[in-house]
PDB file of all heavy atoms in Angstrom:
ATOM      1  N   ALA A1278    -169.175  89.989  73.961  1.00 88.00           N
ATOM      2  CA  ALA A1278    -168.113  90.005  74.969  1.00 88.00           C
ATOM      3  C   ALA A1278    -166.929  89.126  74.568  1.00 88.00           C
ATOM      4  O   ALA A1278    -165.755  89.508  74.701  1.00 88.00           O
ATOM      5  CB  ALA A1278    -168.626  89.562  76.365  1.00 88.00           C
ATOM      6  N   TYR A1279    -167.231  87.901  74.046  1.00 86.00           N
ATOM      7  CA  TYR A1279    -166.149  86.950  73.870  1.00 86.00           C
ATOM      8  C   TYR A1279    -165.709  86.777  72.420  1.00 86.00           C
ATOM      9  O   TYR A1279    -164.620  86.230  72.177  1.00 86.00           O
ATOM     10  CB  TYR A1279    -166.552  85.573  74.466  1.00 86.00           C
ATOM     11  CG  TYR A1279    -166.752  85.626  75.956  1.00 86.00           C
ATOM     12  CD1 TYR A1279    -167.999  85.742  76.554  1.00 86.00           C
ATOM     13  CD2 TYR A1279    -165.629  85.673  76.822  1.00 86.00           C
ATOM     14  CE1 TYR A1279    -168.139  85.816  77.896  1.00 86.00           C
ATOM     15  CE2 TYR A1279    -165.775  85.772  78.179  1.00 86.00           C
ATOM     16  CZ  TYR A1279    -167.052  85.849  78.739  1.00 86.00           C
ATOM     17  OH  TYR A1279    -167.200  85.963  80.093  1.00 86.00           O
ATOM     18  N   GLU A1280    -166.515  87.214  71.475  1.00 85.00           N
ATOM     19  CA  GLU A1280    -166.107  87.119  70.081  1.00 85.00           C
ATOM     20  C   GLU A1280    -165.597  88.510  69.587  1.00 85.00           C
ATOM     21  O   GLU A1280    -164.633  88.569  68.846  1.00 85.00           O
ATOM     22  CB  GLU A1280    -167.303  86.701  69.210  1.00 85.00           C
ATOM     23  CG  GLU A1280    -167.815  85.297  69.514  1.00 85.00           C
ATOM     24  CD  GLU A1280    -166.823  84.176  69.194  1.00 85.00           C
ATOM     25  OE1 GLU A1280    -165.936  84.418  68.361  1.00 85.00           O
ATOM     26  OE2 GLU A1280    -166.918  83.099  69.809  1.00 85.00           O
ATOM     27  N   SER A1281    -166.273  89.544  70.043  1.00 82.00           N
ATOM     28  CA  SER A1281    -165.826  90.902  69.598  1.00 82.00           C
ATOM     29  C   SER A1281    -164.879  91.532  70.606  1.00 82.00           C
ATOM     30  O   SER A1281    -164.330  92.635  70.388  1.00 82.00           O
ATOM     31  CB  SER A1281    -167.050  91.822  69.391  1.00 82.00           C
ATOM     32  OG  SER A1281    -167.908  91.274  68.412  1.00 82.00           O
ATOM     33  N   ILE A1282    -164.755  90.936  71.776  1.00 80.00           N
ATOM     34  CA  ILE A1282    -163.889  91.459  72.865  1.00 80.00           C
ATOM     35  C   ILE A1282    -164.266  92.891  73.151  1.00 80.00           C
ATOM     36  O   ILE A1282    -163.431  93.752  73.366  1.00 80.00           O
ATOM     37  CB  ILE A1282    -162.398  91.326  72.494  1.00 80.00           C
ATOM     38  CG1 ILE A1282    -162.091  90.032  71.759  1.00 80.00           C
ATOM     39  CG2 ILE A1282    -161.519  91.392  73.784  1.00 80.00           C
ATOM     40  CD1 ILE A1282    -162.338  88.790  72.583  1.00 80.00           C
ATOM     41  N   ILE A1283    -165.569  93.135  73.189  1.00 82.00           N
ATOM     42  CA  ILE A1283    -166.022  94.531  73.313  1.00 82.00           C
ATOM     43  C   ILE A1283    -166.066  95.017  74.754  1.00 82.00           C
ATOM     44  O   ILE A1283    -166.207  96.217  75.006  1.00 82.00           O
ATOM     45  CB  ILE A1283    -167.453  94.647  72.662  1.00 82.00           C
ATOM     46  CG1 ILE A1283    -167.710  96.104  72.192  1.00 82.00           C
ATOM     47  CG2 ILE A1283    -168.522  94.141  73.628  1.00 82.00           C
ATOM     48  CD1 ILE A1283    -168.962  96.212  71.371  1.00 82.00           C
ATOM     49  N   ASN A1284    -165.922  94.100  75.688  1.00 74.00           N
ATOM     50  CA  ASN A1284    -166.061  94.479  77.096  1.00 74.00           C
ATOM     51  C   ASN A1284    -164.739  94.642  77.837  1.00 74.00           C
ATOM     52  O   ASN A1284    -164.745  94.776  79.087  1.00 74.00           O
ATOM     53  CB  ASN A1284    -166.909  93.403  77.830  1.00 74.00           C
ATOM     54  CG  ASN A1284    -166.219  92.040  77.842  1.00 74.00           C
ATOM     55  OD1 ASN A1284    -165.477  91.721  76.939  1.00 74.00           O
ATOM     56  ND2 ASN A1284    -166.465  91.283  78.884  1.00 74.00           N
ATOM     57  N   VAL A1285    -163.634  94.660  77.095  1.00 77.00           N
ATOM     58  CA  VAL A1285    -162.340  94.719  77.821  1.00 77.00           C
ATOM     59  C   VAL A1285    -161.815  96.132  77.949  1.00 77.00           C
ATOM     60  O   VAL A1285    -160.864  96.380  78.691  1.00 77.00           O
ATOM     61  CB  VAL A1285    -161.280  93.862  77.068  1.00 77.00           C
ATOM     62  CG1 VAL A1285    -161.678  92.437  76.983  1.00 77.00           C
ATOM     63  CG2 VAL A1285    -161.027  94.426  75.671  1.00 77.00           C
ATOM     64  N   PHE A1286    -162.482  97.102  77.293  1.00 78.00           N
ATOM     65  CA  PHE A1286    -161.970  98.448  77.331  1.00 78.00           C
ATOM     66  C   PHE A1286    -162.690  99.271  78.418  1.00 78.00           C
ATOM     67  O   PHE A1286    -163.899  99.177  78.592  1.00 78.00           O
ATOM     68  CB  PHE A1286    -162.152  99.159  75.991  1.00 78.00           C
ATOM     69  CG  PHE A1286    -161.525  98.465  74.847  1.00 78.00           C
ATOM     70  CD1 PHE A1286    -162.217  97.690  73.964  1.00 78.00           C
ATOM     71  CD2 PHE A1286    -160.119  98.614  74.705  1.00 78.00           C
ATOM     72  CE1 PHE A1286    -161.596  97.009  72.957  1.00 78.00           C
ATOM     73  CE2 PHE A1286    -159.497  97.934  73.633  1.00 78.00           C
ATOM     74  CZ  PHE A1286    -160.240  97.179  72.755  1.00 78.00           C
ATOM     75  N   GLU A1287    -161.928 100.010  79.173  1.00 78.00           N
ATOM     76  CA  GLU A1287    -162.493 100.845  80.214  1.00 78.00           C
ATOM     77  C   GLU A1287    -163.414 101.890  79.670  1.00 78.00           C
ATOM     78  O   GLU A1287    -164.477 102.146  80.222  1.00 78.00           O
ATOM     79  CB  GLU A1287    -161.334 101.515  81.033  1.00 78.00           C
ATOM     80  CG  GLU A1287    -161.788 102.336  82.204  1.00 78.00           C
ATOM     81  CD  GLU A1287    -162.294 101.474  83.371  1.00 78.00           C
ATOM     82  OE1 GLU A1287    -161.892 100.300  83.423  1.00 78.00           O
ATOM     83  OE2 GLU A1287    -163.119 101.997  84.166  1.00 78.00           O
ATOM     84  N   ASP A1288    -163.012 102.485  78.577  1.00 84.00           N
ATOM     85  CA  ASP A1288    -163.831 103.561  77.942  1.00 84.00           C
ATOM     86  C   ASP A1288    -163.491 103.545  76.449  1.00 84.00           C
ATOM     87  O   ASP A1288    -162.660 104.319  75.997  1.00 84.00           O
ATOM     88  CB  ASP A1288    -163.525 104.935  78.582  1.00 84.00           C
ATOM     89  CG  ASP A1288    -164.374 106.030  78.018  1.00 84.00           C
ATOM     90  OD1 ASP A1288    -165.307 105.716  77.221  1.00 84.00           O
ATOM     91  OD2 ASP A1288    -164.168 107.215  78.374  1.00 84.00           O
ATOM     92  N   GLY A1289    -164.169 102.704  75.699  1.00 82.00           N
ATOM     93  CA  GLY A1289    -163.851 102.488  74.318  1.00 82.00           C
ATOM     94  C   GLY A1289    -164.070 103.703  73.407  1.00 82.00           C
ATOM     95  O   GLY A1289    -163.496 103.795  72.330  1.00 82.00           O
ATOM     96  N   ALA A1290    -164.889 104.667  73.859  1.00 87.00           N
ATOM     97  CA  ALA A1290    -165.161 105.829  73.026  1.00 87.00           C
ATOM     98  C   ALA A1290    -164.246 107.016  73.383  1.00 87.00           C
ATOM     99  O   ALA A1290    -164.388 108.062  72.801  1.00 87.00           O
ATOM    100  CB  ALA A1290    -166.624 106.252  73.170  1.00 87.00           C
ATOM    101  N   ASN A1291    -163.395 106.813  74.365  1.00 88.00           N
ATOM    102  CA  ASN A1291    -162.528 107.869  74.835  1.00 88.00           C
ATOM    103  C   ASN A1291    -161.655 108.427  73.675  1.00 88.00           C
ATOM    104  O   ASN A1291    -161.048 107.658  72.963  1.00 88.00           O
ATOM    105  CB  ASN A1291    -161.602 107.390  75.927  1.00 88.00           C
ATOM    106  CG  ASN A1291    -160.749 108.459  76.507  1.00 88.00           C
ATOM    107  OD1 ASN A1291    -161.094 109.648  76.523  1.00 88.00           O
ATOM    108  ND2 ASN A1291    -159.584 108.086  77.038  1.00 88.00           N
ATOM    109  N   GLY A1292    -161.693 109.759  73.449  1.00 87.00           N
ATOM    110  CA  GLY A1292    -160.896 110.367  72.432  1.00 87.00           C
ATOM    111  C   GLY A1292    -161.656 110.578  71.139  1.00 87.00           C
ATOM    112  O   GLY A1292    -161.150 111.275  70.244  1.00 87.00           O
ATOM    113  N   SER A1293    -162.845 109.978  71.022  1.00 89.00           N
ATOM    114  CA  SER A1293    -163.630 110.231  69.766  1.00 89.00           C
ATOM    115  C   SER A1293    -164.276 111.582  69.898  1.00 89.00           C
ATOM    116  O   SER A1293    -165.084 111.853  70.778  1.00 89.00           O
ATOM    117  CB  SER A1293    -164.749 109.147  69.697  1.00 89.00           C
ATOM    118  OG  SER A1293    -165.753 109.542  68.759  1.00 89.00           O
ATOM    119  N   TYR A1294    -163.912 112.490  69.003  1.00 91.00           N
ATOM    120  CA  TYR A1294    -164.379 113.893  69.100  1.00 91.00           C
ATOM    121  C   TYR A1294    -165.901 113.938  69.140  1.00 91.00           C
ATOM    122  O   TYR A1294    -166.484 114.666  69.971  1.00 91.00           O
ATOM    123  CB  TYR A1294    -163.837 114.734  67.957  1.00 91.00           C
ATOM    124  CG  TYR A1294    -164.472 116.102  67.902  1.00 91.00           C
ATOM    125  CD1 TYR A1294    -163.997 117.101  68.774  1.00 91.00           C
ATOM    126  CD2 TYR A1294    -165.528 116.394  67.057  1.00 91.00           C
ATOM    127  CE1 TYR A1294    -164.580 118.342  68.765  1.00 91.00           C
ATOM    128  CE2 TYR A1294    -166.105 117.660  67.044  1.00 91.00           C
ATOM    129  CZ  TYR A1294    -165.648 118.601  67.891  1.00 91.00           C
ATOM    130  OH  TYR A1294    -166.226 119.868  67.915  1.00 91.00           O
ATOM    131  N   TYR A1295    -166.550 113.195  68.256  1.00 94.00           N
ATOM    132  CA  TYR A1295    -167.986 113.249  68.137  1.00 94.00           C
ATOM    133  C   TYR A1295    -168.696 112.814  69.449  1.00 94.00           C
ATOM    134  O   TYR A1295    -169.510 113.514  69.991  1.00 94.00           O
ATOM    135  CB  TYR A1295    -168.466 112.367  66.972  1.00 94.00           C
ATOM    136  CG  TYR A1295    -169.932 112.357  66.752  1.00 94.00           C
ATOM    137  CD1 TYR A1295    -170.630 113.554  66.517  1.00 94.00           C
ATOM    138  CD2 TYR A1295    -170.683 111.183  66.751  1.00 94.00           C
ATOM    139  CE1 TYR A1295    -172.013 113.549  66.281  1.00 94.00           C
ATOM    140  CE2 TYR A1295    -172.034 111.157  66.564  1.00 94.00           C
ATOM    141  CZ  TYR A1295    -172.709 112.362  66.307  1.00 94.00           C
ATOM    142  OH  TYR A1295    -174.069 112.324  66.102  1.00 94.00           O
ATOM    143  N   VAL A1296    -168.239 111.628  69.919  1.00 95.00           N
ATOM    144  CA  VAL A1296    -168.864 111.105  71.172  1.00 95.00           C
ATOM    145  C   VAL A1296    -168.476 111.990  72.358  1.00 95.00           C
ATOM    146  O   VAL A1296    -169.343 112.228  73.223  1.00 95.00           O
ATOM    147  CB  VAL A1296    -168.398 109.655  71.383  1.00 95.00           C
ATOM    148  CG1 VAL A1296    -168.953 109.129  72.740  1.00 95.00           C
ATOM    149  CG2 VAL A1296    -168.870 108.732  70.266  1.00 95.00           C
ATOM    150  N   GLU A1297    -167.266 112.473  72.410  1.00 96.00           N
ATOM    151  CA  GLU A1297    -166.860 113.310  73.508  1.00 96.00           C
ATOM    152  C   GLU A1297    -167.733 114.610  73.532  1.00 96.00           C
ATOM    153  O   GLU A1297    -168.143 115.064  74.604  1.00 96.00           O
ATOM    154  CB  GLU A1297    -165.397 113.687  73.398  1.00 96.00           C
ATOM    155  CG  GLU A1297    -164.389 112.584  73.562  1.00 96.00           C
ATOM    156  CD  GLU A1297    -164.219 112.181  74.994  1.00 96.00           C
ATOM    157  OE1 GLU A1297    -164.969 112.654  75.880  1.00 96.00           O
ATOM    158  OE2 GLU A1297    -163.303 111.384  75.276  1.00 96.00           O
ATOM    159  N   ASP A1298    -167.964 115.187  72.345  1.00 96.00           N
ATOM    160  CA  ASP A1298    -168.724 116.411  72.254  1.00 96.00           C
ATOM    161  C   ASP A1298    -170.172 116.158  72.714  1.00 96.00           C
ATOM    162  O   ASP A1298    -170.774 116.961  73.479  1.00 96.00           O
ATOM    163  CB  ASP A1298    -168.712 116.919  70.810  1.00 96.00           C
ATOM    164  CG  ASP A1298    -169.372 118.275  70.692  1.00 96.00           C
ATOM    165  OD1 ASP A1298    -168.977 119.201  71.434  1.00 96.00           O
ATOM    166  OD2 ASP A1298    -170.315 118.422  69.893  1.00 96.00           O
ATOM    167  N   ILE A1299    -170.811 115.097  72.246  1.00 95.00           N
ATOM    168  CA  ILE A1299    -172.168 114.759  72.674  1.00 95.00           C
ATOM    169  C   ILE A1299    -172.224 114.502  74.144  1.00 95.00           C
ATOM    170  O   ILE A1299    -173.147 114.956  74.852  1.00 95.00           O
ATOM    171  CB  ILE A1299    -172.690 113.527  71.920  1.00 95.00           C
ATOM    172  CG1 ILE A1299    -172.660 113.722  70.434  1.00 95.00           C
ATOM    173  CG2 ILE A1299    -174.174 113.250  72.322  1.00 95.00           C
ATOM    174  CD1 ILE A1299    -172.964 112.467  69.639  1.00 95.00           C
ATOM    175  N   THR A1300    -171.230 113.805  74.663  1.00 96.00           N
ATOM    176  CA  THR A1300    -171.163 113.503  76.103  1.00 96.00           C
ATOM    177  C   THR A1300    -171.201 114.815  76.936  1.00 96.00           C
ATOM    178  O   THR A1300    -171.975 114.918  77.912  1.00 96.00           O
ATOM    179  CB  THR A1300    -169.907 112.706  76.436  1.00 96.00           C
ATOM    180  OG1 THR A1300    -169.864 111.472  75.732  1.00 96.00           O
ATOM    181  CG2 THR A1300    -169.811 112.423  77.961  1.00 96.00           C
ATOM    182  N   GLN A1301    -170.390 115.765  76.528  1.00 96.00           N
ATOM    183  CA  GLN A1301    -170.309 117.027  77.255  1.00 96.00           C
ATOM    184  C   GLN A1301    -171.602 117.812  77.153  1.00 96.00           C
ATOM    185  O   GLN A1301    -172.102 118.373  78.162  1.00 96.00           O
ATOM    186  CB  GLN A1301    -169.154 117.889  76.717  1.00 96.00           C
ATOM    187  CG  GLN A1301    -167.758 117.343  77.076  1.00 96.00           C
ATOM    188  CD  GLN A1301    -167.571 117.266  78.610  1.00 96.00           C
ATOM    189  OE1 GLN A1301    -167.972 118.145  79.337  1.00 96.00           O
ATOM    190  NE2 GLN A1301    -166.934 116.212  79.024  1.00 96.00           N
ATOM    191  N   GLN A1302    -172.224 117.765  75.955  1.00 95.00           N
ATOM    192  CA  GLN A1302    -173.501 118.480  75.795  1.00 95.00           C
ATOM    193  C   GLN A1302    -174.576 117.883  76.684  1.00 95.00           C
ATOM    194  O   GLN A1302    -175.347 118.581  77.347  1.00 95.00           O
ATOM    195  CB  GLN A1302    -173.926 118.451  74.324  1.00 95.00           C
ATOM    196  CG  GLN A1302    -173.104 119.327  73.424  1.00 95.00           C
ATOM    197  CD  GLN A1302    -173.668 119.385  72.026  1.00 95.00           C
ATOM    198  OE1 GLN A1302    -174.839 119.600  71.828  1.00 95.00           O
ATOM    199  NE2 GLN A1302    -172.841 119.153  71.030  1.00 95.00           N
ATOM    200  N   ILE A1303    -174.679 116.554  76.665  1.00 96.00           N
ATOM    201  CA  ILE A1303    -175.698 115.863  77.473  1.00 96.00           C
ATOM    202  C   ILE A1303    -175.440 116.108  78.946  1.00 96.00           C
ATOM    203  O   ILE A1303    -176.378 116.399  79.679  1.00 96.00           O
ATOM    204  CB  ILE A1303    -175.682 114.333  77.179  1.00 96.00           C
ATOM    205  CG1 ILE A1303    -176.195 114.071  75.757  1.00 96.00           C
ATOM    206  CG2 ILE A1303    -176.523 113.604  78.198  1.00 96.00           C
ATOM    207  CD1 ILE A1303    -176.102 112.630  75.326  1.00 96.00           C
ATOM    208  N   ALA A1304    -174.188 116.063  79.370  1.00 96.00           N
ATOM    209  CA  ALA A1304    -173.836 116.285  80.772  1.00 96.00           C
ATOM    210  C   ALA A1304    -174.210 117.692  81.251  1.00 96.00           C
ATOM    211  O   ALA A1304    -174.778 117.878  82.297  1.00 96.00           O
ATOM    212  CB  ALA A1304    -172.370 116.013  81.001  1.00 96.00           C
ATOM    213  N   GLU A1305    -173.911 118.652  80.416  1.00 96.00           N
ATOM    214  CA  GLU A1305    -174.182 120.079  80.783  1.00 96.00           C
ATOM    215  C   GLU A1305    -175.665 120.325  80.919  1.00 96.00           C
ATOM    216  O   GLU A1305    -176.106 120.973  81.884  1.00 96.00           O
ATOM    217  CB  GLU A1305    -173.552 121.006  79.753  1.00 96.00           C
ATOM    218  CG  GLU A1305    -172.027 121.064  79.818  1.00 96.00           C
ATOM    219  CD  GLU A1305    -171.420 121.858  78.679  1.00 96.00           C
ATOM    220  OE1 GLU A1305    -172.191 122.563  77.950  1.00 96.00           O
ATOM    221  OE2 GLU A1305    -170.198 121.811  78.487  1.00 96.00           O
ATOM    222  N   ILE A1306    -176.439 119.884  79.927  1.00 96.00           N
ATOM    223  CA  ILE A1306    -177.879 120.110  79.990  1.00 96.00           C
ATOM    224  C   ILE A1306    -178.514 119.344  81.160  1.00 96.00           C
ATOM    225  O   ILE A1306    -179.437 119.856  81.869  1.00 96.00           O
ATOM    226  CB  ILE A1306    -178.551 119.713  78.662  1.00 96.00           C
ATOM    227  CG1 ILE A1306    -178.017 120.570  77.502  1.00 96.00           C
ATOM    228  CG2 ILE A1306    -180.061 119.825  78.727  1.00 96.00           C
ATOM    229  CD1 ILE A1306    -178.397 120.125  76.157  1.00 96.00           C
ATOM    230  N   SER A1307    -178.064 118.104  81.371  1.00 96.00           N
ATOM    231  CA  SER A1307    -178.633 117.276  82.473  1.00 96.00           C
ATOM    232  C   SER A1307    -178.324 117.914  83.853  1.00 96.00           C
ATOM    233  O   SER A1307    -179.145 117.938  84.698  1.00 96.00           O
ATOM    234  CB  SER A1307    -178.012 115.885  82.414  1.00 96.00           C
ATOM    235  OG  SER A1307    -178.364 115.232  81.216  1.00 96.00           O
ATOM    236  N   TRP A1308    -177.118 118.419  83.994  1.00 97.00           N
ATOM    237  CA  TRP A1308    -176.708 119.033  85.264  1.00 97.00           C
ATOM    238  C   TRP A1308    -177.559 120.258  85.533  1.00 97.00           C
ATOM    239  O   TRP A1308    -178.000 120.482  86.675  1.00 97.00           O
ATOM    240  CB  TRP A1308    -175.243 119.363  85.260  1.00 97.00           C
ATOM    241  CG  TRP A1308    -174.796 119.873  86.609  1.00 97.00           C
ATOM    242  CD1 TRP A1308    -174.598 121.148  86.998  1.00 97.00           C
ATOM    243  CD2 TRP A1308    -174.445 119.081  87.754  1.00 97.00           C
ATOM    244  NE1 TRP A1308    -174.177 121.243  88.290  1.00 97.00           N
ATOM    245  CE2 TRP A1308    -174.095 119.984  88.792  1.00 97.00           C
ATOM    246  CE3 TRP A1308    -174.419 117.733  88.005  1.00 97.00           C
ATOM    247  CZ2 TRP A1308    -173.724 119.527  90.066  1.00 97.00           C
ATOM    248  CZ3 TRP A1308    -174.038 117.257  89.273  1.00 97.00           C
ATOM    249  CH2 TRP A1308    -173.670 118.147  90.265  1.00 97.00           C
ATOM    250  N   LYS A1309    -177.814 121.049  84.480  1.00 96.00           N
ATOM    251  CA  LYS A1309    -178.616 122.246  84.601  1.00 96.00           C
ATOM    252  C   LYS A1309    -180.044 121.859  85.068  1.00 96.00           C
ATOM    253  O   LYS A1309    -180.613 122.511  85.935  1.00 96.00           O
ATOM    254  CB  LYS A1309    -178.672 123.009  83.282  1.00 96.00           C
ATOM    255  CG  LYS A1309    -179.467 124.282  83.338  1.00 96.00           C
ATOM    256  CD  LYS A1309    -179.458 125.010  82.030  1.00 96.00           C
ATOM    257  CE  LYS A1309    -180.323 126.269  82.051  1.00 96.00           C
ATOM    258  NZ  LYS A1309    -180.372 126.972  80.724  1.00 96.00           N
ATOM    259  N   LEU A1310    -180.605 120.812  84.468  1.00 95.00           N
ATOM    260  CA  LEU A1310    -181.915 120.350  84.812  1.00 95.00           C
ATOM    261  C   LEU A1310    -181.947 119.787  86.280  1.00 95.00           C
ATOM    262  O   LEU A1310    -182.898 120.036  87.038  1.00 95.00           O
ATOM    263  CB  LEU A1310    -182.416 119.312  83.867  1.00 95.00           C
ATOM    264  CG  LEU A1310    -183.811 118.742  84.063  1.00 95.00           C
ATOM    265  CD1 LEU A1310    -184.878 119.838  84.144  1.00 95.00           C
ATOM    266  CD2 LEU A1310    -184.183 117.749  82.947  1.00 95.00           C
ATOM    267  N   PHE A1311    -180.852 119.095  86.615  1.00 96.00           N
ATOM    268  CA  PHE A1311    -180.697 118.598  88.003  1.00 96.00           C
ATOM    269  C   PHE A1311    -180.764 119.714  89.023  1.00 96.00           C
ATOM    270  O   PHE A1311    -181.436 119.643  90.054  1.00 96.00           O
ATOM    271  CB  PHE A1311    -179.401 117.799  88.095  1.00 96.00           C
ATOM    272  CG  PHE A1311    -178.936 117.554  89.499  1.00 96.00           C
ATOM    273  CD1 PHE A1311    -179.655 116.731  90.354  1.00 96.00           C
ATOM    274  CD2 PHE A1311    -177.787 118.176  89.969  1.00 96.00           C
ATOM    275  CE1 PHE A1311    -179.196 116.475  91.683  1.00 96.00           C
ATOM    276  CE2 PHE A1311    -177.332 117.932  91.258  1.00 96.00           C
ATOM    277  CZ  PHE A1311    -178.045 117.134  92.119  1.00 96.00           C
ATOM    278  N   ILE A1312    -180.074 120.808  88.707  1.00 96.00           N
ATOM    279  CA  ILE A1312    -180.023 121.973  89.611  1.00 96.00           C
ATOM    280  C   ILE A1312    -181.471 122.553  89.724  1.00 96.00           C
ATOM    281  O   ILE A1312    -181.898 122.954  90.818  1.00 96.00           O
ATOM    282  CB  ILE A1312    -179.066 123.036  89.077  1.00 96.00           C
ATOM    283  CG1 ILE A1312    -177.623 122.532  89.120  1.00 96.00           C
ATOM    284  CG2 ILE A1312    -179.207 124.352  89.896  1.00 96.00           C
ATOM    285  CD1 ILE A1312    -177.138 122.156  90.464  1.00 96.00           C
ATOM    286  N   GLU A1313    -182.224 122.597  88.653  1.00 94.00           N
ATOM    287  CA  GLU A1313    -183.595 123.111  88.701  1.00 94.00           C
ATOM    288  C   GLU A1313    -184.464 122.220  89.596  1.00 94.00           C
ATOM    289  O   GLU A1313    -185.278 122.768  90.363  1.00 94.00           O
ATOM    290  CB  GLU A1313    -184.167 123.100  87.272  1.00 94.00           C
ATOM    291  CG  GLU A1313    -183.573 124.171  86.359  1.00 94.00           C
ATOM    292  CD  GLU A1313    -184.149 124.090  84.940  1.00 94.00           C
ATOM    293  OE1 GLU A1313    -185.147 123.389  84.713  1.00 94.00           O
ATOM    294  OE2 GLU A1313    -183.620 124.775  84.024  1.00 94.00           O
ATOM    295  N   ILE A1314    -184.232 120.912  89.531  1.00 95.00           N
ATOM    296  CA  ILE A1314    -184.986 120.007  90.401  1.00 95.00           C
ATOM    297  C   ILE A1314    -184.632 120.239  91.856  1.00 95.00           C
ATOM    298  O   ILE A1314    -185.467 120.279  92.759  1.00 95.00           O
ATOM    299  CB  ILE A1314    -184.724 118.540  90.012  1.00 95.00           C
ATOM    300  CG1 ILE A1314    -185.350 118.259  88.599  1.00 95.00           C
ATOM    301  CG2 ILE A1314    -185.393 117.542  91.041  1.00 95.00           C
ATOM    302  CD1 ILE A1314    -184.993 116.884  88.067  1.00 95.00           C
ATOM    303  N   GLU A1315    -183.321 120.404  92.083  1.00 95.00           N
ATOM    304  CA  GLU A1315    -182.849 120.688  93.443  1.00 95.00           C
ATOM    305  C   GLU A1315    -183.401 121.983  94.001  1.00 95.00           C
ATOM    306  O   GLU A1315    -183.753 122.050  95.180  1.00 95.00           O
ATOM    307  CB  GLU A1315    -181.329 120.744  93.475  1.00 95.00           C
ATOM    308  CG  GLU A1315    -180.693 119.363  93.336  1.00 95.00           C
ATOM    309  CD  GLU A1315    -181.119 118.408  94.448  1.00 95.00           C
ATOM    310  OE1 GLU A1315    -180.817 118.668  95.636  1.00 95.00           O
ATOM    311  OE2 GLU A1315    -181.790 117.417  94.113  1.00 95.00           O
ATOM    312  N   GLU A1316    -183.469 122.997  93.159  1.00 95.00           N
ATOM    313  CA  GLU A1316    -183.996 124.303  93.591  1.00 95.00           C
ATOM    314  C   GLU A1316    -185.522 124.234  93.895  1.00 95.00           C
ATOM    315  O   GLU A1316    -186.048 125.097  94.562  1.00 95.00           O
ATOM    316  CB  GLU A1316    -183.692 125.349  92.532  1.00 95.00           C
ATOM    317  CG  GLU A1316    -182.221 125.696  92.429  1.00 95.00           C
ATOM    318  CD  GLU A1316    -181.912 126.672  91.282  1.00 95.00           C
ATOM    319  OE1 GLU A1316    -182.796 126.864  90.443  1.00 95.00           O
ATOM    320  OE2 GLU A1316    -180.787 127.196  91.247  1.00 95.00           O
ATOM    321  N   SER A1317    -186.160 123.193  93.374  1.00 93.00           N
ATOM    322  CA  SER A1317    -187.571 122.999  93.622  1.00 93.00           C
ATOM    323  C   SER A1317    -187.812 122.102  94.859  1.00 93.00           C
ATOM    324  O   SER A1317    -188.943 121.754  95.162  1.00 93.00           O
ATOM    325  CB  SER A1317    -188.257 122.364  92.417  1.00 93.00           C
ATOM    326  OG  SER A1317    -188.237 123.175  91.280  1.00 93.00           O
ATOM    327  N   GLY A1318    -186.703 121.767  95.527  1.00 94.00           N
ATOM    328  CA  GLY A1318    -186.786 120.988  96.743  1.00 94.00           C
ATOM    329  C   GLY A1318    -186.252 119.609  96.655  1.00 94.00           C
ATOM    330  O   GLY A1318    -186.271 118.811  97.661  1.00 94.00           O
ATOM    331  N   GLY A1319    -185.778 119.184  95.501  1.00 93.00           N
ATOM    332  CA  GLY A1319    -185.231 117.853  95.336  1.00 93.00           C
ATOM    333  C   GLY A1319    -186.233 116.920  94.645  1.00 93.00           C
ATOM    334  O   GLY A1319    -187.331 117.311  94.275  1.00 93.00           O
ATOM    335  N   TYR A1320    -185.831 115.670  94.483  1.00 94.00           N
ATOM    336  CA  TYR A1320    -186.622 114.647  93.737  1.00 94.00           C
ATOM    337  C   TYR A1320    -188.006 114.444  94.346  1.00 94.00           C
ATOM    338  O   TYR A1320    -189.015 114.569  93.696  1.00 94.00           O
ATOM    339  CB  TYR A1320    -185.855 113.364  93.582  1.00 94.00           C
ATOM    340  CG  TYR A1320    -186.703 112.265  93.025  1.00 94.00           C
ATOM    341  CD1 TYR A1320    -187.005 112.257  91.649  1.00 94.00           C
ATOM    342  CD2 TYR A1320    -187.194 111.234  93.788  1.00 94.00           C
ATOM    343  CE1 TYR A1320    -187.767 111.276  91.081  1.00 94.00           C
ATOM    344  CE2 TYR A1320    -187.968 110.254  93.264  1.00 94.00           C
ATOM    345  CZ  TYR A1320    -188.279 110.279  91.889  1.00 94.00           C
ATOM    346  OH  TYR A1320    -189.043 109.266  91.356  1.00 94.00           O
TER     347      TYR A1320
END
């Protein structure tokens, strides 16, 4: 936090194609699984 100043950025990976692509893939698959849980009655 205080030597690398790593905690001052709101979203340090924003704009990184690789990270953005993985983020979207994880989000899409997770949301699909969430819907399946909801269709089974919820958590």
Side-chain angles (χ1 to χ4, degrees):
Y1279 295 102
E1280 297 293 337
S1281 301
I1282 321 297
I1283 205 170
N1284 63 329
V1285 300
F1286 302 102
E1287 183 71 23
D1288 183 6
N1291 185 27
S1293 164
Y1294 172 78
Y1295 181 58
V1296 176
E1297 294 282 11
D1298 186 54
I1299 303 170
T1300 299
Q1301 289 300 321
Q1302 288 187 50
I1303 292 174
E1305 288 173 10
I1306 297 171
S1307 299
W1308 186 262
K1309 182 179 178 181
L1310 182 54
F1311 164 67
I1312 295 300
E1313 290 177 10
I1314 295 173
E1315 286 302 295
E1316 290 175 348
S1317 296
Y1320 172 74

